[in-house]
Amino acid sequence: QVQLVESGGGPVQAGGSLRLSCAASGNIYSNYCMGWFRQAPGREREGVASIAPDGITTYADSVKGRFTISQENAKNTLYLQMNSLTPEDTAVYYCAAMTTGNRWSCLSRRRTDFAYWGQGTQVTVSS
């Protein structure tokens, strides 16, 4: 079993920065794909960023150049550094883990391919 707990969300003004953290526990292995997703009110959950076991990262076009996904394996912690935030970034942010080992699925950030999810942390960007 895998447990994921997000933290670091909160209110922030446009142009500001936040760093989200995801603490993983349970049966976590270095070959897991990890990702960040977000869901705004009335919208579908979308993949924001993912990181493959070899360290390769992908990002949604809307956040590329502003967000950075990283992980600290020794601490089983996933991070999402968010800079230059805009109101369009307002959403509940979730971390997720994939254990099936499909690289294409990992880098494609397909929601249905991620088996484990955190409870989410709210990010609210005001203008």
Side-chain angles (χ1 to χ4, degrees), residues 2 27 29-34 51-53 96-116:
V2 175
N27 297 330
Y29 299 97
S30 61
N31 65 335
Y32 286 0
C33 167
M34 303 295 295
I51 181 166
M98 177 190 300
T99 61
T100 54
N102 188 298
R103 173 184 285 269
W104 182 89
S105 295
C106 174
L107 300 180
S108 296
R109 306 181 308 280
R110 297 176 63 89
R111 177 182 58 82
T112 56
D113 292 334
F114 286 77
Y116 300 101

Side-chain angles (χ1 to χ4, degrees), residues 81-103:
Q81 178 67 46
M82 305 185 295
N83 299 325
S84 302
L85 287 163
T86 74
E88 287 69 36
D89 296 316
T90 295
V92 176
Y93 284 72
Y94 302 87
C95 66
M98 177 190 300
T99 61
T100 54
N102 188 298
R103 173 184 285 269

